[in-house]
Amino acid sequence: MERVFNFSAGPAMLPTDALQRAKDELLDWHDCGMSVMEMTHRGKRFGSIVEKIERDFRELLAIPDNYTVLFLHGGSRSQFAMVPMNLLNGASSAAYAITGLWGDLSAQEASRYCNINEVVNTKDSRCTSIPDAPDWQPIHDNDAYLHYVDNETVNGVEFANVPASHGKPLVCDMSSNLLTRPVDINKFGLIYACAQKNLGPAGVTMLIIRNDLLQCKALEFTPSMFRYKEHADKQSMYNTPPTYPWYVSGLVFEWVKEQGGLQEMDKRNRAKSDKLYAFIDGSDFYDNPVRVSARSRVNVPFTIKGGDPDLEAAFVKESEEQHLMNLKGHRFVGGLRASIYNAMPMAGVDALIDFMMDFEKRHG
Ligand SMILES: *Cc1c(COP(=O)(O)O)cnc(C)c1O
């Protein structure tokens, strides 16, 4: 069996070591005669798995004691609603920084529940840069929080620094870059990330929330399943959790620890993306539209100069023949995109660059 290099934005490639562990333990976890899939989530065995998952996650991110970690369902899209439902706390507006597709969608969802103060919106310049925070519109006194998306998966822009929130809780969607570099958790009120980019299989969403925010008053009609407090009081087991995705995520956390933690992930992700951007910038055939200071280290969109759709289709087809999968760009922005998360080795980036050179030779 040969594993391909999968450049999908998500569900994305997982570390082979973690999948191998899952395979070895699939039918019989630690001589207990059953699969993790078949265990009660209330039992001692699954309890020991959960304890380790949370310990490793906290250790990797150096999460301080005054933060609660939740493992939730519903993907990041549910958080687009849960954030305002739980954190408005009587306020009628919230501040949103819109630097790409997901930020735009999160603000649209929040607008069902409150007014949106768009402190920055880069749609007019096609979301190819991130203006410095001092150039943003002011946050208002009555905004409950500031929400932003640290890495815009579709547009390939990523914040180099954490923006100031002027005393308001800072809420961040880190769906596509959590665990790809160290983060100073103390700067945040709440961080959320669906698993299927860097953390594990689809089905679980990690949440890190400062404890005081669990005391906010949720909107009256908020269903129990959408209340942070409810999940926190029940250790994320208010109802039956997606036990298997939790377990596989735990194997991924172990893998990240074994590799050297987030410093090492940061180093590798920089090395991979630097190499790919350098190649694209040095080429007269390929182009990346994002301003250098805002480039994502994990999602690299690119176009073939001239934007010929037939040539792009040929690129996708021929790359798949070389076992380089899912390089088609998001339908929203078109073009091509290479997602190179934690599990993508440098060998994958090298193979991609070799293919790109060869493709240019034949079609350029
Ligand atoms: C993938 C992604 C989402 C959507 O996640 P779902 O789990 O499909 O709801 C939201 N925000 C960002 C930044 C993403 O990359």
Side-chain angles (χ1 to χ4, degrees):
M1 178 207 61
E2 198 198 327
R3 301 247 313 145
V4 299
F5 291 120
N6 179 7
F7 294 90
S8 168
M13 205 166 165
L14 288 166
T16 308
D17 290 354
L19 294 176
Q20 187 64 50
R21 265 283 293 286
K23 181 184 176 206
D24 294 344
E25 297 178 346
L26 182 65
L27 295 182
D28 181 10
W29 183 82
H30 295 201
D31 295 323
C32 78
M34 62 174 122
S35 170
V36 173
M37 271 184 251
E38 303 166 299
M39 285 177 191
T40 168
H41 59 295
R42 311 257 179 230
K44 223 169 57 201
R45 291 197 180 89
F46 193 70
S48 74
I49 293 175
V50 172
E51 198 203 324
K52 175 141 175 44
I53 299 173
E54 181 168 345
R55 197 166 0 103
D56 286 347
F57 186 68
R58 283 185 172 274
E59 186 184 319
L60 280 168
L61 282 156
I63 299 175
D65 288 343
N66 61 326
Y67 286 77
T68 296
V69 169
L70 300 177
F71 300 126
L72 303 178
H73 312 245
S76 290
R77 285 274 192 142
S78 294
Q79 295 311 311
F80 292 178
M82 284 174 81
V83 165
M85 282 176 161
N86 285 275
L87 299 189
L88 281 172
N89 203 29
S92 58
S93 79
Y96 277 75
I98 298 168
T99 58
L101 175 69
W102 290 115
D104 194 26
L105 293 174
S106 63
Q108 276 177 37
E109 183 66 23
S111 73
R112 291 171 177 272
Y113 310 107
C114 62
N115 299 318
I116 303 299
N117 173 20
E118 277 186 15
V119 289
V120 64
N121 189 334
T122 59
K123 262 198 290 191
D124 286 346
S125 56
R126 311 193 66 220
C127 303
T128 51
S129 68
I130 297 177
D132 289 335
D135 298 336
W136 295 7
Q137 300 301 311
I139 296 171
H140 300 145
D141 281 349
N142 56 346
D143 292 335
Y145 55 83
L146 169 64
H147 179 283
Y148 80 106
V149 180
D150 203 39
N151 180 72
E152 282 284 0
T153 320
V154 171
N155 312 83
V157 297
E158 184 173 20
F159 278 75
N161 300 297
V162 177
S165 61
H166 304 282
K168 300 290 184 186
L170 186 58
V171 177
C172 187
D173 177 353
M174 289 197 193
S175 295
S176 45
N177 67 347
L178 190 66
L179 293 195
T180 64
R181 59 174 171 183
V183 186
D184 182 357
I185 302 292
N186 285 302
K187 291 184 171 157
F188 296 88
L190 187 160
I191 295 169
Y192 61 89
C194 53
Q196 68 269 19
K197 280 77 193 256
N198 280 290
L199 313 176
V204 53
T205 302
M206 293 15 170
L207 198 108
I208 304 163
I209 183 167
R210 209 175 57 217
N211 289 343
D212 60 290
L213 295 178
L214 289 170
Q215 304 311 323
C216 291
K217 196 171 153 10
L219 296 178
E220 200 71 49
F221 55 81
T222 306
S224 304
M225 269 299 284
F226 265 42
R227 289 175 186 255
Y228 293 140
K229 185 77 168 54
E230 203 76 55
H231 289 284
D233 288 347
K234 308 282 163 46
Q235 283 80 44
S236 305
M237 292 200 194
Y238 171 70
N239 73 328
T240 312
T243 49
Y244 201 71
W246 282 23
Y247 155 77
V248 178
S249 300
L251 299 180
V252 174
F253 300 162
E254 275 186 48
W255 176 82
V256 174
K257 275 179 61 179
E258 283 160 17
Q259 301 305 302
L262 301 193
Q263 304 281 358
E264 179 63 21
M265 291 299 119
D266 188 29
K267 210 170 95 190
R268 291 184 192 179
N269 290 323
R270 271 178 208 289
K272 287 183 292 179
S273 55
D274 283 351
K275 199 169 191 176
L276 187 50
Y277 286 121
F279 169 73
I280 292 170
D281 289 344
S283 149
D284 291 327
F285 188 66
Y286 302 102
D287 190 39
N288 170 284
V290 178
R291 190 192 285 181
V292 172
S293 60
R295 281 176 170 174
S296 165
R297 294 149 312 120
V298 285
N299 304 103
V300 181
F302 57 95
T303 55
I304 295 176
K305 278 183 188 156
D308 176 354
D310 290 340
L311 212 46
E312 284 175 0
F315 184 98
V316 172
K317 182 168 174 290
E318 291 180 28
S319 57
E320 293 195 346
E321 286 161 10
Q322 300 303 313
H323 297 172
L324 307 171
M325 312 309 279
N326 295 311
L327 284 158
K328 195 169 164 30
H330 189 277
R331 63 193 184 288
F332 205 78
V333 295
L336 301 154
R337 173 177 52 167
S339 295
I340 48 174
Y341 300 124
N342 283 350
M344 175 63 67
M346 183 61 100
V349 172
D350 288 337
L352 174 60
I353 292 173
D354 285 348
F355 170 76
M356 288 169 79
M357 283 199 278
D358 184 57
F359 187 85
E360 178 179 351
K361 247 183 237 147
R362 287 179 289 108
H363 297 274

